[in-house]
Amino acid sequence: MFVKGDRKANFTPIQFYLDRDLDVSAAENIVSVSATARTLEIEPMQGEARIGYRVTYKVIYTSGEEFASFEDSYEYTAEIKSADITPKSFVDATSNVIATEFVGVTRLKVRLMLEIKGYAIVPSGFDTMECTEGLCCKTTSVKVEHIEPLSGSEILVEGVEKLGDKVEKVLTSDSVVCINYVSTATEICEIKGVCYTYLTYISDGKIGYGTLSAPFEAQVLAPSVTEKDSAYFTPTVVSSGVSVTDTDQGSEVKTETVVSVKGFAVSASEAEIIVDAYSKENDIRLEYAHAVVEDNECVISSHEKFVGALPVDAGEAGMRNLLFIGAPWIGACNARFEEGLTVEGIVGAEIVYADNEGKTGRALAEIPYRFVLGGEFACRSSITASAVVTSINARIRPGDTVELSGELCVEIHGSGDREIKYVASYEVLCPKEISDAAISLYLVGEGETLFDVAKELNSDEEELMALNPELELPLKRGDKVLLYRPLD
């Protein structure tokens, strides 16, 4: 009998540098450079997968007294290695920019550090023997999980928010998504989340910035899903747009974001496997085997606050005031179980400031974070974490020190597994020598079951219960079990 199960196998994340020259011919001074990455397509092969992704570069610069912006996109490919991947595998991967550096002005050289991480769904299982006629078998119930890929669906998220500033020009906008809740019904998954848009704009000749939020609820068709299943999704921003309308009090900003969601559904079933067996007529030899089954998939979403400060080398001119914060990024996000579920990583953002001489300065602010999440978390294998910045603030403190604070939306995935020992096959050796004793008495040992006693007495459970009606299950140490055999 084949016991089928599936598992989600995380592949080792890859990090690498990506260099690009950008032609910003109108620029006299570079104010800010940011970049985002998005996975476009995934081609699984034997032992590896080819990831196609797009990087979008966004530059804020000055030309004369005017602020302006430049945007350009390029497509690339990368390879990930994993023995779990086959040409038929379902593979999901995210591409993220985790650091940005640049030099130059009109001929701008940009270096990014990218990270690609994800998982493959791996069909697995094992063969166990069936209880045939003439055998007495001891079985146990094993919970196994079945994982069904959920192909990508797109959701349009719209939001409207009012700003006190009069927005004259939008320089850059970047969007991220946090999924807070997923529920399942027959052939439908309901998703609730929030889309956050980092906005940089011109108001009254100065740069302004802010984070806009757009809550959403959506239903995604999932033909294989039932209300008893659990579903998990990874959101990716496909495209986003911003439009501005003037009001008496400022501006009304409308955001339209297309979000792709891709993931998997998990269903559980019980399988009976043989863990011991014997024959009353023959001596047999059992062949045991071991298997690891995934019996739990867990996810926790949490909103956590962060705060930290770091000194900035602003030179002799020092820092006078903050101009704006660039779109933040997550430089690292890891999780482990260590006296609680611990999540740690780095939040980064580009800080643009004016010095005491009126010139523009830039600094990369990176601060660490560490949270210990309470509550139960039964899945302590293959733990992974991801995070997005849902709000960020900065202020300049004495001594040219920048303080960053804000909130993260953190999501932790994990799986639970256990090793089982089972009977894979057996071999008949020879006929048994049957005892000629008319009465046999057996004293139950610690932890022994009725099956164990029946095996020792070369009987079966039904016969022993019929001969010992006073027995109570489960057996206790010291219980007496009698077996009567008719004499020929």
Side-chain angles (χ1 to χ4, degrees):
M1 177 179 67
F2 184 74
V3 178
K4 183 182 181 302
D6 305 300
R7 62 187 178 88
K8 182 171 74 74
N10 300 315
F11 52 77
T12 302
I14 60 171
Q15 294 182 353
F16 54 94
Y17 288 107
L18 184 67
D19 294 327
R20 191 81 205 185
D21 289 350
L22 301 178
D23 185 7
V24 194
S25 55
E28 294 179 6
N29 181 52
I30 301 298
V31 177
S32 173
V33 177
S34 63
T36 57
R38 179 173 73 88
T39 300
L40 300 175
E41 58 184 0
I42 302 172
E43 181 186 358
M45 297 174 286
Q46 191 62 46
E48 63 180 356
R50 182 176 291 114
I51 309 296
Y53 62 97
R54 176 184 293 128
V55 175
T56 300
Y57 298 84
K58 299 181 180 182
V59 181
I60 297 176
Y61 64 92
T62 56
S63 180
E65 298 296 323
E66 298 291 325
F67 287 98
S69 59
F70 167 87
E71 182 175 317
D72 206 356
S73 297
Y74 299 90
E75 295 184 5
Y76 306 90
T77 60
E79 285 74 39
I80 56 172
K81 306 288 185 181
S82 173
D84 292 312
I85 299 176
T86 71
K88 295 183 178 180
S89 293
F90 174 87
V91 179
D92 193 12
T94 57
S95 307
N96 298 293
V97 176
I98 60 175
T100 306
E101 298 176 345
F102 66 92
V103 295
V105 180
T106 57
R107 192 64 176 175
L108 191 63
K109 296 182 179 295
V110 183
R111 164 165 284 193
L112 308 179
M113 176 174 280
L114 276 87
E115 179 181 64
I116 297 178
K117 60 182 180 180
Y119 63 88
I121 294 177
V122 181
S124 60
F126 57 93
D127 283 304
T128 179
M129 81 171 194
E130 298 185 49
C131 195
T132 59
E133 186 177 353
L135 287 184
C136 296
C137 299
K138 180 181 182 180
T139 64
T140 190
S141 181
V142 176
K143 178 185 173 185
V144 293
E145 289 192 339
H146 307 280
I147 303 178
E148 186 72 22
L150 299 175
S151 57
S153 299
E154 291 189 349
I155 301 168
L156 175 62
V157 180
E158 296 179 306
V160 177
E161 198 160 333
K162 293 182 178 179
L163 296 179
D165 292 337
K166 288 278 190 180
V167 177
E168 300 166 8
K169 180 197 298 185
V170 173
L171 293 175
T172 62
S173 65
D174 293 283
S175 297
V176 296
V177 180
C178 172
I179 292 179
N180 296 319
Y181 175 80
V182 177
S183 65
T184 57
T186 302
E187 298 187 349
I188 289 176
C189 294
E190 182 180 357
I191 301 174
K192 296 181 181 180
V194 182
C195 181
Y196 299 93
T197 299
Y198 314 125
L199 189 67
T200 309
Y201 56 89
I202 298 297
S203 175
D204 194 25
K206 299 178 181 179
I207 292 183
Y209 65 96
T211 303
L212 312 179
S213 61
F216 66 90
E217 296 183 17
Q219 289 186 337
V220 175
L221 293 178
S224 60
V225 169
T226 72
E227 65 276 4
K228 296 181 179 179
D229 299 338
S230 300
Y232 307 92
F233 288 96
T234 301
T236 302
V237 173
V238 177
S239 63
S240 61
V242 175
S243 58
V244 179
T245 303
D246 287 340
T247 68
D248 292 338
Q249 291 77 33
S251 297
E252 184 178 82
V253 181
K254 181 179 180 180
T255 58
E256 291 186 344
T257 306
V258 177
V259 179
S260 171
V261 290
K262 185 179 180 182
F264 58 92
V266 180
S267 60
S269 64
E270 299 285 338
E272 294 291 324
I273 62 172
I274 298 172
V275 294
D276 200 359
Y278 65 93
S279 167
K280 293 195 287 184
E281 290 79 28
N282 299 298
D283 286 326
I284 63 173
R285 179 168 59 214
L286 302 177
E287 294 292 337
Y288 288 93
H290 296 262
V292 176
V293 295
E294 183 171 294
D295 61 1
N296 207 5
E297 187 75 29
C298 303
V299 62
I300 290 180
S301 295
S302 179
H303 288 261
E304 302 289 338
K305 296 185 181 301
F306 66 88
V307 63
L310 72 160
V312 172
D313 183 7
E316 294 182 0
M319 303 176 71
R320 186 178 67 191
N321 63 283
L322 179 72
L323 297 180
F324 72 95
I325 309 171
W329 66 84
I330 300 295
C333 188
N334 301 294
R336 65 183 186 278
F337 197 87
E338 186 179 89
E339 298 181 357
L341 190 58
T342 301
V343 183
E344 56 189 6
I346 295 172
V347 177
E350 187 177 41
I351 305 299
V352 180
Y353 62 91
D355 64 21
N356 289 303
E357 296 177 353
K359 296 180 180 178
T360 300
R362 297 177 296 273
L364 293 179
E366 294 184 327
I367 64 168
Y369 61 85
R370 185 177 186 273
F371 316 120
V372 179
L373 305 181
E376 293 296 324
F377 194 74
C379 305
R380 301 183 184 181
S381 299
S382 302
I383 300 177
T384 60
S386 60
V388 297
V389 181
T390 61
S391 67
I392 188 167
N393 299 290
R395 64 174 181 169
I396 296 175
R397 293 168 54 180
D400 290 343
T401 297
V402 173
E403 180 184 87
L404 280 184
S405 62
E407 187 176 79
L408 299 177
C409 172
V410 182
E411 187 170 271
I412 304 99
H413 280 264
S415 61
D417 53 41
R418 60 191 177 100
E419 184 177 286
I420 59 171
K421 181 181 178 182
Y422 63 93
V423 179
S425 61
Y426 76 97
E427 178 185 359
V428 176
L429 300 178
C430 60
K432 273 187 175 178
E433 295 184 7
I434 306 300
S435 172
D436 57 2
I439 301 176
S440 297
L441 173 64
Y442 190 89
L443 293 178
V444 177
E446 187 70 36
E448 287 189 314
T449 66
L450 188 60
F451 178 90
D452 300 323
V453 176
K455 182 178 181 180
E456 289 296 326
L457 294 176
N458 200 43
S459 179
D460 57 57
E461 294 173 88
E462 292 78 10
E463 182 180 19
L464 293 184
M465 288 302 297
L467 294 174
N468 299 268
E470 74 286 354
L471 281 178
E472 294 183 359
L473 299 180
L475 298 179
K476 300 184 294 297
R477 177 185 176 90
D479 282 349
K480 297 177 181 180
V481 181
L482 290 172
L483 174 63
Y484 303 91
R485 290 189 181 90
L487 295 177
D488 294 335

